[in-house]
Amino acid sequence: MSETTEHKCECAEAYRDIEQVIEKHRGDSGALVQVLHNVQERLGYVPKDVQVRVAEALGVSLSEVYGVITFYSLFRERPRGRYVISSCQGTACYVRGAPEVLARLEKELGIKAGGTTDDGLFTIEIVRCLGACGLAPVITVNKDTHGRVTEDKIPSIINFYRAQAEAESGKAGD
Ligand code: FES
């Protein structure tokens, strides 16, 4: 594997397993989704250089690999952020202002839905219902639920998690 990878996962074992799966399916273009699924499960995303490796081994084009990754929402090209913000765009949330909440999230974080901030702190995802319609509009941040969110509340919610991350990294440095 190349020296210039930007892997966040340090787990050599995961890469060995992935390599075995890729080799097992060498020349089998029909196994593309299955192989990518395995990579996604082990690493949490499908790094660019692994995409190249899969394409070469299975005998498919890189654009085909990329096409599959972008088609299925299950696959990601980058690791998710430390805080995954799920913005509900289900009907109950939608009619109570979820699009404005999402737009504010995107503006404050400088990313689009599906993206991750450069500092690796935040990922925004769109979901269709979080099962808390009575609290619409709803976002979750990891396991925390924030109900009746308005766009004006977004900066303070983001700041809360930023401060939490800073406090935790401060503790880690003690
Ligand atoms: S539609 Fe948003 S929680 Fe159900």
Side-chain angles (χ1 to χ4, degrees), residues 88 90-93 128-133 138:
C88 183
T91 307
C93 290
R128 291 298 158 200
C129 182
L130 288 162
C133 308
V138 182

Side-chain angles (χ1 to χ4, degrees), residues 36-52:
L36 293 177
H37 196 273
N38 190 279
V39 175
Q40 173 72 38
E41 264 194 350
R42 295 308 305 256
L43 301 180
Y45 72 117
V46 186
K48 197 75 185 175
D49 64 333
V50 176
Q51 294 177 33
V52 172

Side-chain angles (χ1 to χ4, degrees), residues 29-137:
S29 60
L32 178 57
V33 173
Q34 188 186 336
V35 171
L36 293 177
H37 196 273
N38 190 279
V39 175
Q40 173 72 38
E41 264 194 350
R42 295 308 305 256
L43 301 180
Y45 72 117
V46 186
K48 197 75 185 175
D49 64 333
V50 176
Q51 294 177 33
V52 172
R53 178 83 187 87
V54 169
E56 175 268 318
L58 271 61
V60 298
S61 68
L62 188 55
S63 62
E64 202 172 329
V65 174
Y66 184 73
V68 169
I69 289 171
T70 48
F71 182 78
Y72 294 104
S73 58
L74 151 83
F75 297 123
R76 356 186 114 260
E77 275 205 287
R78 296 182 60 191
R80 291 161 112 207
R82 180 169 177 170
Y83 299 105
V84 176
I85 303 175
S86 298
S87 171
C88 183
Q89 299 294 313
T91 307
C93 290
Y94 193 89
V95 298
R96 289 182 176 83
E100 290 76 18
V101 169
L102 175 60
R104 186 65 181 265
L105 278 169
E106 291 178 331
K107 183 169 168 232
E108 291 293 325
L109 294 174
I111 54 173
K112 289 287 176 197
T116 298
T117 53
D118 286 341
D119 60 8
L121 268 190
F122 296 99
T123 293
I124 303 175
E125 291 184 344
I126 290 178
V127 291
R128 291 298 158 200
C129 182
L130 288 162
C133 308
L135 298 176

